[in-house]
């Protein structure tokens, strides 16, 4: 398969995993098997299990992802950024740099952080829509104000919600100025849903390793 075919397979895998996971968790099948089993075909974070997401966090994240999946899929029809621009990948690179430097300087330990969650969530969107509909979202994620939040533990829900609120604030403003399929999809995902996605799917999967510098 060529690179484009591989990306298509990866995208449909994400959709299939999300649907399958909801079916398994929703029917109680998860009680008979580890919650990570349905996700074994996707890159999983190798950080300490001490801060691994609970089954309820995973379920909330998958449910929120599935609820917004139709709109996010439409984002593929949204305009691409200006030539040479990669807002999502640049966002991932910035967040990784902030978190990696904090670990190197021993400001934080090896446990998962809000930054890991957010970068992986951005990676999941990039897997579905590449850079389509990204506009200038990197201006939000690269804002120095958020760097401190990226270093906080992944289960700091208030920090997760704050980052999510800044992103949604951007999309609401963008939608008023230049509405398109991308902004329409983005404004439909609430702060709570974004936090759920970041704390569940974004924490469990290592989607950000597929993109940017310093891939795992």
């Amino acid at each position: 398969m060529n690179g484009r075919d591989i990306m298509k397979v990866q995208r449909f895998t994400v959709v299939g995993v999300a649907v399958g996971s909801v079916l398994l968790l929703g029917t109680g099948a998860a009680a008979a098997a580890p919650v990570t089993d349905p996700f074994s075909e996707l890159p999983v974070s190798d950080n300490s299990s001490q801060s691994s997401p609970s089954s309820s966090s995973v379920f909330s994240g998958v449910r929120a992802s599935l609820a917004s999946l139709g709109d996010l899929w439409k984002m593929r029809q949204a305009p691409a950024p200006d030539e040479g621009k990669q807002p999502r990948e640049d966002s991932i690179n910035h967040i990784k740099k902030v978190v990696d430097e904090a670990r190197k300087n021993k400001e934080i330990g090896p446990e998962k952080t809000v930054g890991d969650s957010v970068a992986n969530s951005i990676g999941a969107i990039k897997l579905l829509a590449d850079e389509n509909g990204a506009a200038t979202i990197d201006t939000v994620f690269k804002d120095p104000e958020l760097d401190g939040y990226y270093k906080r533990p992944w289960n700091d829900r208030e920090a997760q919600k704050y980052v999510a609120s800044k992103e949604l604030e951007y999309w609401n403003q963008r939608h008023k100025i230049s509405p398109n399929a991308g902004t329409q999809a983005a404004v439909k995902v609430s702060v709570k849903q974004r936090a759920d996605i970041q704390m569940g799917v974004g924490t469990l999967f290592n989607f950000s390793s597929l993109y940017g510098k310093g891939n795992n």
Side-chain angles (χ1 to χ4, degrees):
M1 289 191 294
N2 58 34
R4 181 173 296 180
D5 289 336
I6 292 173
M7 288 300 292
K8 286 181 180 178
V9 170
Q10 289 177 326
R11 286 173 183 144
F12 282 112
T13 298
V14 172
V15 177
V17 166
V19 174
S21 302
V22 168
L23 290 175
L24 281 170
L25 292 170
T27 58
V35 72
T36 53
D37 279 1
F39 311 107
S40 59
E41 297 303 315
L42 290 172
V44 178
S45 173
D46 59 1
N47 284 331
S48 170
S49 60
Q50 178 182 353
S51 58
S52 296
S54 65
S55 58
S56 60
S57 296
V58 173
F59 177 66
S60 294
V62 171
R63 183 172 55 187
S65 299
L66 200 59
S68 60
L69 192 57
D71 290 317
L72 290 176
W73 193 257
K74 293 176 184 176
M75 193 175 288
R76 292 158 52 85
Q77 303 167 13
D82 293 339
E83 187 174 355
K85 300 290 186 180
Q86 294 186 307
R88 292 191 179 110
E89 187 151 345
D90 287 348
S91 298
I92 291 170
N93 284 334
H94 173 77
I95 296 170
K96 281 183 173 181
K97 182 178 179 181
V98 169
V99 175
D100 287 348
E101 287 186 353
R103 288 186 175 124
K104 182 179 179 180
N105 296 331
K106 300 190 183 304
E107 295 176 47
I108 59 176
E111 295 79 17
K112 299 180 183 70
T113 66
V114 169
D116 294 322
S117 302
V118 174
N120 289 331
S121 297
I122 298 169
I125 295 174
K126 183 172 171 64
L127 189 61
L128 286 171
D130 197 16
E131 295 288 353
N132 287 19
T136 56
I137 191 60
D138 56 314
T139 61
V140 174
F141 292 118
K142 291 161 68 176
D143 185 341
E145 180 195 359
L146 295 183
D147 289 354
Y149 290 89
Y150 295 146
K151 302 174 190 178
R152 296 188 183 183
W154 75 272
N155 56 1
D156 185 333
R157 187 167 183 82
E158 292 307 308
Q160 295 275 15
K161 287 172 65 177
Y162 186 75
V163 175
S165 71
K166 300 302 287 187
E167 183 186 6
L168 183 57
E169 180 181 296
Y170 167 86
W171 287 121
N172 283 331
Q173 294 175 351
R174 185 83 184 184
H175 189 57
K176 291 178 181 178
I177 299 170
S178 182
N180 58 50
T183 62
Q184 185 175 8
V187 298
K188 288 184 177 180
V189 185
S190 69
V191 169
K192 181 183 182 303
Q193 286 177 309
R194 291 172 189 275
D196 284 342
I197 291 169
Q198 290 164 194
M199 294 184 71
V201 177
T203 302
L204 184 66
F205 299 137
N206 196 8
F207 286 117
S208 66
S209 68
L210 301 174
Y211 307 103
K213 301 174 184 177
N215 294 348
N216 296 329

